[in-house]
Amino acid sequence: KVYCANSDSRSVSVIDGATDSVLATVATGTTPYAFCYNSQNNKVYCANGNSATVTVIDGTTNAVLATVATGNTPKALCYNPRDNKIYCANWGSRSVTVLGGASDSRIATVAVGSRPTALCYNAQNDKVYCVNDSSDNVTVIDGAADSVIATVTTGIRPGVLCYNSQNGKAYCANDGSDKVTVLDCASNTVL
């Protein structure tokens, strides 16, 4: 299945990947913006940017299982399969909301930098990385404890990042300085 956000209609279209036909239209909050998938519980999470919520969708039935309150302007999601948690970066609240994958409820809120805009998960070290656009840094979150391990300075206006499991490094693109910051994920330092 493919999920498509329909901002104007406050909904998500569920598309059959084989036939390219719409299987269902699921009501969400205002401005559905980002998705992530929980493979352990077969759930799809949709961040609703102007509703300060995440809609939890059953991957089999396409029914809404829950609507969970987050911080202001949820902008990015990522899934932690080791601890069965979902992380939501709240651009307008300087925070990351942590949801339990089994309970579909908020289990923690982690303070981060200004305008968190992207997330990625490091399965090797059970860490979540949060890019803070206006703080010019990345917050490193412990996946088990949901606490901040480190804050790493990047270039100007970091926007996106990804984790490379082959070399244990995270790469962060900095829109304002035309550079990529390379982080060593074991030591939480810039290489």
Side-chain angles (χ1 to χ4, degrees), residues 32-88:
Y33 189 81
F35 297 100
C36 79
Y37 177 64
N38 173 344
S39 57
Q40 187 171 335
N41 299 110
N42 192 26
K43 297 175 185 176
V44 174
Y45 298 81
C46 175
N48 305 307
N50 290 334
S51 293
T53 60
V54 167
T55 301
V56 185
I57 303 168
D58 185 296
T60 302
T61 67
N62 303 316
V64 173
L65 298 173
T67 301
V68 184
T70 63
N72 293 331
T73 323
K75 192 165 179 89
L77 296 165
C78 80
Y79 176 57
N80 169 348
R82 182 184 295 186
D83 302 302
N84 195 20
K85 296 176 183 176
I86 296 81
Y87 296 80
C88 177

Side-chain angles (χ1 to χ4, degrees), residues 154-189:
T154 63
I156 300 167
R157 286 187 31 235
V160 294
L161 77 165
C162 72
Y163 172 67
N164 180 340
S165 61
Q166 294 296 312
N167 65 13
K169 297 174 185 174
Y171 297 82
C172 178
N174 305 295
D175 183 51
S177 57
D178 299 328
K179 295 179 181 176
V180 172
T181 302
V182 182
L183 295 97
D184 178 82
C185 295
S187 63
N188 302 315
T189 58

Side-chain angles (χ1 to χ4, degrees), residues 89-104:
N90 305 308
W91 187 84
S93 295
R94 299 176 69 114
S95 67
V96 170
T97 301
V98 186
L99 310 178
S103 66
D104 298 326

